[in-house]
C-alpha cells in the first residue's frame, strides 16, 4: 500500500506521528540556538545566522531523500520529485527568519513539519536510495528566507521572489546600519541581478500549503488543537516622521512648545482608538523614537511605525484615510508637521476553496466523530501565503498556541498538538493527491 492509496494515509504506523513531533521539537530547540541575540532568538534576512539555519534545514531535507538548492533570493528549497520529472510541485513550508527576541516556533515549525511530511509520505523508487512523491505532483519544501521584514522593513521578500513579484525599488532599502538590500545580497554571496531566477510560474505549482502556530488565543480558548485558515489579513506598514522644534526643557513655556514626541504619542492613541472601533482591523505602533533624545531637550523630531491590518483591503485603506485625517488634526493643533513613508503593502489573501477543503478533511480525520466540524479561522497574522497567493492557490493549517502568545520567547506549541497537526497535514496532502488522480 502507498500512503496515497484512496487519498487516505495507509501503511503509516500511528507512532510515526509522535516520533516525528518529538524530532520537530528537538530541532526547534536546535534552530533557536542559531541567533545573533545574546540570550534571545533574533535571525534576520541575509545574516550569518540565516546561512547557518539554511545549512541545517538543507541537511535535514537531504536526510529524508530530497535534493536541495538555495535559490536566488536565499530561500532554502528541497524537492521530493514525482515519478514524472515534468510534473508540477505542491510547495509546503514556512519561514526561518524571526522578529527580534522571537519565539522558537513562528515559521520554523511549518518548515520542520513539511520535512516530516516528506518522511511520512515518500515512497521508494526502484533503487532504494531514491525517494519519490506518491502523487501526480512532486513535493517541494520551502524554507523562506524573509517573511518578517525585520531587517529591511519590507516583509515577505523571500516568498515575493518565488512568486515573481520583485520590485527593483526594494534594492535601495537599508537596514539599521545603512546596509542596502543590494549590498546584503552580495555579502551573502547572492547576485542581485539574478533574483528573477527564483520566480516560479503557476504551471510549475499545484499550490502552497503551510502549517503555522495560530499567534492568537482562539484555538486555546475553544480547547481545539487545529483550525483551517479561511484568509490572511491584508497589511500595510508605515514609518512616520513628526517634525517639531527642539528647545530647552526648562526654559520653554508650554505654549511655545512644538513637542514631536507628544504628537507621536497622541497619534499612537489615535491608532488604538480608531482601529479598535472597527471589526477585524488591527493597528499597532511598535517603534517610537524621540530626537535628539536628551533628557533636558523638548523632542524636535519623533519617528514611529504603524502596522495596519484588515480582513479586507478596502476596509483597511478606509481606516488609513481616517487615521491620516486624525493625524493632520493632531499635528496641526500642536504646530507639527508629519509625513508617512509606506514600507510594506500586501493584499488580503483568501485561501483556495479546494485547499481549505483538503485541510478540513485532514483535520476531520483527527477528530473522534465524523460529525464534528473543524474550526475555521481568519488569520490577522501575516504569512508567506500572502505572497504565494499571486502565483498559486494557498491553504493553511493552524496549530494551537497556548495563551496565543507569539513574537515573544514564551511562544509555545505542544508536541501532542504537533503530532495531531502532522497527521492532519499528511491527510490533507493525500487528499490533494487524490484530487489529482494519483
Ligand atoms: O507580522 C506578522 O504578522 C507575521 O508574523 N510576520
Ligand atoms: Mn512572525
Ligand atoms: Mn510566521
Amino acid at each position: 500500500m502507498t500512503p496515497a492509496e484512496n487519498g487516505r494515509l495507509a501503511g503509516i504506523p500511528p507512532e510515526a506521528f509522535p516520533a516525528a513531533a518529538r524530532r520537530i521539537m528537538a530541532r526547534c530547540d536546535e534552530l533557536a540556538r542559531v541567533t545573533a541575540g545574546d540570550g534571545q532568538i533574533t535571525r534576520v534576512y541575509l545574516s550569518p545566522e540565516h546561512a547557518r539555519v539554511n545549512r541545517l534545514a538543507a541537511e535535514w531535507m537531504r536526510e529524508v531523500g530530497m535534493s536541495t538548492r538555495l535559490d536566488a533570493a536565499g530561500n532554502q528549497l528541497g524537492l521530493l520529485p514525482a515519478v514524472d520529472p515534468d510534473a508540477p510541485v505542491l510547495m509546503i513550508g514556512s519561514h526561518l527568519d524571526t522578529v527580534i527576541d522571537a519565539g522558537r516556533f513562528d515559521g520554523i515549525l511549518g518548515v520542520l513539519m513539511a520535512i516530516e511530511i516528506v518522511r511520512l509520505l515518500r515512497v521508494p523508487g526502484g533503487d532504494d536510495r531514491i525517494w519519490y512523491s506518491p502523487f501526480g505532483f512532486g513535493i517541494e519544501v520551502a524554507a523562506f528566507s524573509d517573511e518578517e521584514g525585520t531587517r529591511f522593513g519590507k516583509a515577505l521578500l523571500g516568498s515575493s521572489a518565488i512568486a515573481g513579484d520583485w520590485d527593483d525599488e526594494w534594492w535601495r532599502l537599508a537596514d539599521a546600519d545603512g546596509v542596502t538590500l543590494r549590498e546584503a545580497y552580495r555579502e551573502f554571496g547572492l547576485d542581485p541581478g539574478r533574483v528573477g531566477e527564483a520566480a516560479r510560474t503557476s504551471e510549475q505549482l499545484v499550490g502552497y500549503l503551510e502549517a503555522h502556530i495560530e499567534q492568537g488565543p482562539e484555538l486555546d480558548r475553544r480547547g481545539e488543537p487545529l483550525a483551517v485558515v479561511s484568509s490572511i489579513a491584508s497589511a500595510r506598514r508605515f514609518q512616520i516622521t513628526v517634525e517639531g522644534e527642539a528647545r530647552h526643557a526648562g526654559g520653554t513655556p508650554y505654549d511655545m512648545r512644538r513637542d514631536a514626541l507628544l504628537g507621536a504619542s497622541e497619534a499612537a492613541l489615535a491608532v488604538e482608538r480608531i482601529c479598535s472601533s472597527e471589526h477585524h482591523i488591527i493597528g499597532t505602533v511598535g517603534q517610537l523614537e524621540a530626537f535628539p533624545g536628551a533628557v533636558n531637550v523638548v523632542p524636535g523630531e519623533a519617528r514611529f511605525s504603524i502596522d495596519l491590518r484588515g480582513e479586507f483591503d478596502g476596509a483597511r485603506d478606509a481606516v488609513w484615510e481616517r487615521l491620516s485625517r486624525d493625524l493632520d488634526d493632531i499635528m496641526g493643533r500642536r504646530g507639527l508637521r508629519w509625513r508617512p513613508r509606506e514600507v510594506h503593502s500586501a493584499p488580503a489573501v483568501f485561501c483556495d476553496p479546494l485547499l481549505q477543503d483538503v485541510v478540513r478533511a485532514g483535520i476531520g480525520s483527527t477528530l473522534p466523530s465524523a460529525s464534528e466540524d473543524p474550526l475555521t479561522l481568519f488569520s490577522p497574522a501575516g504569512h508567506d501565503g500572502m505572497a504565494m497567493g499571486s502565483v498559486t492557490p494557498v491553504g493553511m493549517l493552524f496549530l494551537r498556541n497556548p495563551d496565543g502568545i507569539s513574537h515573544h520567547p514564551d511562544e509555545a506549541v505542544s508536541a501532542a498538538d504537533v503530532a495531531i497537526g502532522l497527521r492532519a497535514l499528511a491527510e490533507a496532502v493525500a487528499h490533494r493527491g487524490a484530487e489529482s488522480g494519483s
Side-chain angles (χ1 to χ4, degrees), residues 234-300:
S234 71
R236 290 174 79 177
R237 293 183 186 174
F238 302 88
Q239 293 294 340
I240 313 287
T241 302
V242 182
E243 283 174 17
E245 187 180 40
R247 291 179 70 129
H248 198 286
T252 313
Y254 279 106
D255 64 0
M256 288 181 71
R257 291 182 184 220
R258 294 196 292 125
D259 184 327
L261 179 63
L262 291 182
S265 306
E266 207 178 326
L269 291 171
V271 170
E272 181 193 44
R273 177 171 38 77
I274 292 173
C275 296
S276 63
S277 69
E278 301 279 342
H279 182 64
H280 278 180
I281 297 282
I282 307 122
T284 303
V285 174
Q287 297 170 320
L288 173 60
E289 279 183 293
F291 301 91
V295 67
N296 56 354
V297 181
V298 174

Side-chain angles (χ1 to χ4, degrees), residues 94-95 97 106-108 147-148 210 212 215 382-384 407:
S94 192
H95 59 99
D97 67 315
D106 174 357
I108 291 100
E147 190 275 344
E148 302 284 7
E210 174 167 346
H212 203 287
Q215 306 182 280
H383 301 287
D384 291 293
H407 286 183

Side-chain angles (χ1 to χ4, degrees), residues 224 226 228 360 363-364 367 369-376:
E224 301 278 347
L226 305 173
V228 190
R360 196 167 284 113
I363 298 175
L367 297 173
S369 149
S371 61
E372 281 183 65
D373 212 10
L375 193 62
T376 301

Side-chain angles (χ1 to χ4, degrees), residues 125-402:
D127 174 342
D128 261 4
R129 285 166 305 171
I130 297 179
W131 296 93
Y132 289 100
S133 159
F135 311 114
F137 48 78
I139 297 178
E140 185 161 9
V141 175
F144 291 115
S145 52
D146 171 84
E147 190 275 344
E148 302 284 7
T150 307
R151 182 167 178 188
F152 294 102
K154 165 80 189 107
L156 302 164
L157 288 168
S159 37
S160 294
I162 290 191
D165 286 330
W166 194 266
D167 182 343
D168 283 331
E169 284 293 305
W170 297 340
W171 291 121
R172 290 188 297 167
L173 292 171
D175 69 8
D177 297 323
V179 178
T180 64
L181 182 59
R182 186 187 296 280
E183 289 161 349
Y185 256 61
R186 294 202 177 112
E187 275 169 29
F188 196 77
L190 294 170
D191 179 352
R194 299 180 69 171
V195 73
E197 292 174 18
R200 312 294 279 271
T201 63
S202 298
E203 293 69 35
Q204 293 170 323
L205 298 166
V206 168
Y208 171 68
L209 265 184
E210 174 167 346
H212 203 287
I213 54 165
E214 185 205 334
Q215 306 182 280
E218 283 309 312
L219 281 167
D220 197 36
R221 283 183 182 159
R222 294 170 198 235
E224 301 278 347
L226 305 173
V228 190
V229 177
S230 54
S231 69
I232 309 171
S234 71
R236 290 174 79 177
R237 293 183 186 174
F238 302 88
Q239 293 294 340
I240 313 287
T241 302
V242 182
E243 283 174 17
E245 187 180 40
R247 291 179 70 129
H248 198 286
T252 313
Y254 279 106
D255 64 0
M256 288 181 71
R257 291 182 184 220
R258 294 196 292 125
D259 184 327
L261 179 63
L262 291 182
S265 306
E266 207 178 326
L269 291 171
V271 170
E272 181 193 44
R273 177 171 38 77
I274 292 173
C275 296
S276 63
S277 69
E278 301 279 342
H279 182 64
H280 278 180
I281 297 282
I282 307 122
T284 303
V285 174
Q287 297 170 320
L288 173 60
E289 279 183 293
F291 301 91
V295 67
N296 56 354
V297 181
V298 174
E301 184 174 312
R303 294 180 210 153
F304 65 100
S305 60
I306 299 180
D307 174 305
L308 187 62
R309 298 159 191 243
E311 188 170 11
F312 301 102
D313 302 352
R316 173 205 63 179
D317 293 344
V319 165
W320 171 245
E321 294 305 319
R322 199 176 142 198
L323 257 174
S324 301
R325 285 194 300 275
D326 250 60
L327 264 66
D328 282 342
D329 288 349
I330 292 166
M331 304 306 170
R333 191 163 24 81
R334 289 180 171 275
L336 304 166
R337 281 198 304 271
W338 75 286
R339 54 176 191 279
R341 185 165 61 89
E342 184 159 5
V343 291
H344 173 67
S345 175
V349 165
F350 293 86
C351 293
D352 173 61
L354 173 61
L355 289 181
Q356 283 194 58
D357 279 351
V358 300
V359 172
R360 196 167 284 113
I363 298 175
S365 72
T366 69
L367 297 173
S369 149
S371 61
E372 281 183 65
D373 212 10
L375 193 62
T376 301
L377 292 177
F378 145 73
S379 174
H383 301 287
D384 291 293
M386 297 167 84
M388 294 302 292
S390 72
V391 71
T392 196
V394 169
M396 281 195 77
L397 169 74
F398 268 173
L399 286 84
R400 172 166 46 196
N401 172 199

Side-chain angles (χ1 to χ4, degrees), residues 27-37 40-54 56 60 95-109 111-112 144-151 411:
R27 286 177 172 179
C28 286
D29 290 346
E30 189 170 345
L31 291 178
R33 289 193 286 274
V34 184
T35 173
Q40 300 184 345
I41 304 172
T42 301
R43 205 164 49 235
V44 301
Y45 191 30
L46 305 173
S47 61
E49 299 74 41
H50 173 196
R52 283 170 61 199
V53 290
N54 273 352
L56 280 169
W60 296 333
H95 59 99
L96 292 179
D97 67 315
T98 73
V99 294
I100 296 167
D101 200 9
R104 61 189 58 203
F105 301 106
D106 174 357
I108 291 100
L109 179 71
V111 174
L112 299 179
F144 291 115
S145 52
D146 171 84
E147 190 275 344
E148 302 284 7
T150 307
R151 182 167 178 188
E411 186 178 274

